[in-house]
Amino acid sequence: MAKAKKRFVCQECGTVAPRWQGQCEDCGAWNSLVEEAGATVFELKHHLQNGGRDVGLVGLDSDIKLPDRASTGISEFDRALGGGLVAGSATLLGGDPGIGKSTLLLQTAANLARRGLDVAYISGEEAVDQVRLRARRLGLGDAPVQLAAATSVRDILTTMGSTKPPALLIIDSIQTMHSDLIEGAPGTVSQVRASAQELIRFAKERGTALMLVGHVTKDGSIAGPRVLEHMVDTVLAFEGERSHQYRILRANKNRFGGTDEIGVFAMADSGLAEVGNPSALFLTDRAEQVTGATVFPALEGTRPVLVEIQALTVRLSSGAKPRRAVVGWDSGRLAMILAVLEARCGLSFATAEVYLNIAGGYRISDPAADLAVAAALVSAYAEKPLPSDCVLFGEVALSGEIRPVAHGNLRLKEAAKLGFQTALVPPSVQEDGGMKLKQFRTLSNLVDHILGRD
């Protein structure tokens, strides 16, 4: 009988190595290679060109009906999903421990069950009584959700297959599942991959919407093999700090919708509450003018969100190396803005510590925030506050030019709705919403305006 060929798989990144070694060559993790049985020599010598069945091919222009969506009863969750749950879809939900993943899914399960849909909640980390107690605390104890505590994929699929398949199957979490077809402890790369594959196959064949909860690593990425994110249809990331009230649900991948929508929630005693106006969470009381504070109209999909950018500069009298600290923004982009301010505008931050914070713990990756960040730094450095009814947006180039950004009018409309009257913007932005526009071609022009030199 042909001998199986051995291989060693990294439990951190999934890299396959022909022999064991102490450190993974790709991700650098130590003692992460675990032996797995591979294909036999006989199997490797034979091709797959014969013995299969014909696969039906259809044209790209064939008519197809849009998939039906089931509303979760939580509009912010539906927004992140692209309109609701799709039958036969697989969704992976990741987030830090205690962020509210299980709470959100329990609320969703209760809403669907109360509407007469069959919902099964399988917990691999908690006992059934623990889930029941949490449901009672949330006021969901009367919802007809079917609960079970299990970690064997074979037991779960046997139970689901013996009755009518549920409309929604929740697995909390995929790292606790175990398949007896693969050797290894739950949570390993091979076990996570095999368990997810069997559950997703069941969902596709039986038309069940599958929700998988995934653990995250220290850097915030979903734990397990990266192929897990490729196997599912939707990847949702639950963001936020446990010390803050708000939570943001962001779609990183969605085969049935866009990946630029977010859902905003606030943690309350009765669970996660929807936030219809996210700008109210991230804007502080602006009755008084404060140096180093600007307002930036960020754009998340089709939803503008106004956030406050706070900057603080502390001049050092000694020759100590100044510190640069940033929360909620890219530290590399902050270094770039500081370099442009020094090279193109004549402002030196070499002897000053710089602290930058996005209020409310919001995280910004939009390059349109460059202008608001630069204005906050100049305001803090010169101790000159900007008007409290002013918003700023625009991308700053290395040449000091202020470049146009997308959806400028949409940002202005949201700012006008919240009472802002002035906007400092690139020249390409046209007046809309009745706001007063002040256009700047270069960053040095904006600096002169803030310092009163224009």
Side-chain angles (χ1 to χ4, degrees), residues 297 299 301-304 306 406-415 432:
L299 199 63
T302 59
R303 165 183 286 181
L306 270 65
H407 306 291
N409 292 338
L410 189 60
R411 303 173 194 262
L412 293 177
K413 287 181 180 179
E414 180 68 14
D432 193 7

Side-chain angles (χ1 to χ4, degrees), residues 222-398:
I222 296 178
R226 196 60 184 268
V227 70
L228 180 61
E229 299 183 30
H230 295 285
M231 294 167 62
V232 299
D233 300 309
T234 306
V235 178
L236 301 178
F238 220 4
E239 302 174 357
E241 301 292 337
R242 296 177 63 180
S243 58
H244 287 82
Q245 180 186 12
Y246 75 94
R247 304 287 190 270
I248 296 178
L249 185 64
R250 191 186 306 273
N252 294 332
K253 170 189 175 183
N254 194 347
R255 290 173 178 164
F256 301 104
T259 58
D260 50 6
E261 294 288 357
I262 64 169
V264 184
F265 302 88
M267 182 61 76
D269 295 337
S270 59
L272 290 168
E274 302 176 63
V275 178
N277 182 14
S279 300
L281 280 178
F282 307 113
L283 288 181
T284 58
D285 184 13
R286 301 185 59 79
E288 298 182 0
Q289 294 182 350
V290 181
T291 59
T294 59
V295 176
F296 166 63
L299 199 63
E300 296 287 353
T302 59
R303 165 183 286 181
V305 179
L306 270 65
V307 296
E308 185 178 71
I309 297 177
Q310 303 168 347
L312 177 65
T313 60
V314 181
R315 291 182 174 85
L316 299 178
S317 56
S318 63
K321 182 179 179 180
R323 184 181 179 186
R324 306 285 188 258
V326 55
V327 177
W329 206 50
D330 183 17
S331 58
R333 204 157 186 88
L334 172 63
M336 186 199 77
I337 296 298
L338 292 174
V340 174
L341 286 172
E342 181 168 355
R344 308 298 182 186
C345 306
L347 298 180
S348 177
F349 290 82
T351 59
E353 291 187 338
V354 176
Y355 301 90
L356 184 71
N357 177 52
I358 309 301
Y362 192 85
R363 297 185 182 275
I364 295 178
S365 58
D366 190 351
D370 290 352
L371 195 63
V373 170
L377 293 172
V378 174
S379 173
Y381 185 79
E383 297 184 356
K384 290 183 177 293
L386 274 77
S388 58
D389 63 346
C390 175
V391 297
L392 305 91
F393 61 88
E395 182 181 357
V396 176
L398 291 178

Side-chain angles (χ1 to χ4, degrees), residues 3-4 22 67 122 127 139 155 171 206 211 217 221 262-263 286 313 317 329 334 343 356 366 386 412 417 425 428:
K3 185 178 179 181
I122 309 298
D155 294 345
I171 304 295
R206 306 300 293 271
M211 298 287 296
T217 59
S221 60
I262 64 169
R286 301 185 59 79
T313 60
S317 56
W329 206 50
L334 172 63
L356 184 71
D366 190 351
L386 274 77
L412 293 177
K417 188 188 304 181
V425 295
S428 61

Side-chain angles (χ1 to χ4, degrees), residues 31-83:
N31 298 323
S32 62
L33 295 180
V34 176
E35 180 181 349
E36 290 185 2
T40 64
V41 177
F42 177 82
E43 293 171 337
L44 294 174
K45 290 182 177 180
H46 288 72
H47 56 76
L48 299 176
Q49 297 180 6
N50 299 315
R53 60 181 179 85
D54 292 335
V55 178
L57 301 176
V58 296
L60 185 62
D61 56 349
S62 301
D63 293 335
I64 186 172
K65 179 185 176 183
L66 293 176
D68 296 329
R69 294 181 179 271
S71 174
T72 62
I74 305 175
S75 59
E76 292 296 311
F77 196 12
D78 290 340
R79 176 190 288 268
L81 288 171

